[in-house]
Amino acid sequence: VYLLNDDTHSFEDVIKSLCDIFPTITTQQAIDAATTVHQEGKCLLVTVHLELAETYEAWLVKAGLLVKLEKV
């Protein structure tokens, strides 16, 4: 599950959403992900089986974030 950059959400919005959606993520990991997305345009958040990836995708989209699923 990749998080994609957008011009809509602040760093704080992204960090809060990631911490809310991924219970094991630390604030620092969320900051690192937000920074990577800002600098590189996308960030790999998690590699999981398809069903769980689709669940994460739905939650991230519901939070208003842009995401992309890629098979690895």
Side-chain angles (χ1 to χ4, degrees):
V1 178
Y2 283 91
L3 177 64
L4 305 178
N5 193 29
D6 66 41
D7 294 326
T8 305
H9 296 88
S10 68
F11 269 56
E12 293 78 16
D13 291 337
V14 173
I15 293 163
K16 181 179 181 333
S17 293
L18 292 178
C19 288
D20 289 346
I21 292 167
F22 297 95
T24 60
I25 196 171
T26 65
T27 301
Q28 186 58 55
Q29 289 170 319
I31 291 168
D32 293 345
T35 301
T36 299
V37 167
H38 178 71
Q39 293 174 342
E40 299 179 19
K42 72 178 183 177
C43 176
L44 178 62
L45 295 176
V46 65
T47 302
V48 293
H49 61 84
L50 181 59
E51 185 176 314
L52 184 54
E54 289 171 340
T55 299
Y56 283 136
E57 177 188 34
W59 291 343
L60 291 160
V61 167
K62 186 175 181 179
L65 301 176
L66 296 176
V67 296
K68 179 180 180 183
L69 298 183
E70 285 188 14
K71 186 175 180 177
V72 293

